[in-house]
Amino acid sequence: KVESIPEKFFLYAEISGIVLLQDDVDNIIQRQAQRDGLVLAKDIVKEIQEEEVKYCEQLFLKYNILYNAIDNSCDYIQFCEIVDRM
């Protein structure tokens, strides 16, 4: 089970936007195996990514906290543009 950051944190910290780093499930599994020696099932990784997006959608609807999902193809300039829009 993945724990979400409590909603109160976003309010108290006055977070104006969230950037989700998402990637291909196979890439995530490979990197995690190399880093942690832990191999998660594809369906679990996919579910985690879906839950992250759902949580961001909830935060947007409740508190108008913007979010944007990026992957590792996002370069520095693109990242800065995304953050500036938040």
Side-chain angles (χ1 to χ4, degrees), residues 34-74:
Q34 291 171 343
R35 186 188 69 213
D36 303 332
L38 177 66
V39 178
L40 292 175
K42 283 185 178 187
D43 59 332
I44 292 174
V45 174
K46 187 172 175 66
E47 182 181 340
I48 290 169
Q49 286 191 324
E50 290 170 356
E51 289 299 318
E52 287 175 337
V53 172
K54 283 182 193 176
Y55 189 52
C56 285
E57 289 172 355
Q58 290 173 352
L59 292 171
F60 174 72
L61 291 173
K62 256 179 133 170
Y63 306 111
N64 202 33
I65 298 173
L66 302 174
Y67 72 94
N68 198 310
I70 63 171
D71 61 25
N72 61 355
S73 69
C74 181

